[in-house]
Amino acid sequence: MAVMIQSKYGYEPPEWVQADARLDKWYKDKRRANKHGAFSLDKNKKVVIKNERC
């Protein structure tokens, strides 16, 4: 039988614990980036104002 490791999700095989750690880190980084506007599409847009004359 495979060695089971206690993680915050219960007892899991070592491969699952590693995968969970990677996913947790990715999700944490994504939330941090969203909070600071790294994924904002409007952040780098330039405002263009046209004067239309008849």
Side-chain angles (χ1 to χ4, degrees), residues 12-30:
E12 299 176 324
E15 297 85 15
W16 289 21
V17 174
Q18 267 186 342
D20 288 341
R22 279 193 222 112
L23 285 172
D24 288 343
K25 183 179 179 195
W26 172 81
Y27 186 68
K28 182 180 170 187
D29 290 345
K30 185 167 177 68

Side-chain angles (χ1 to χ4, degrees), residues 33-47:
N34 270 340
K35 184 176 181 181
H36 296 292
F39 293 110
S40 176
L41 297 176
D42 298 327
K43 182 177 147 186
N44 294 325
K45 284 187 177 178
K46 293 181 181 177
V47 176

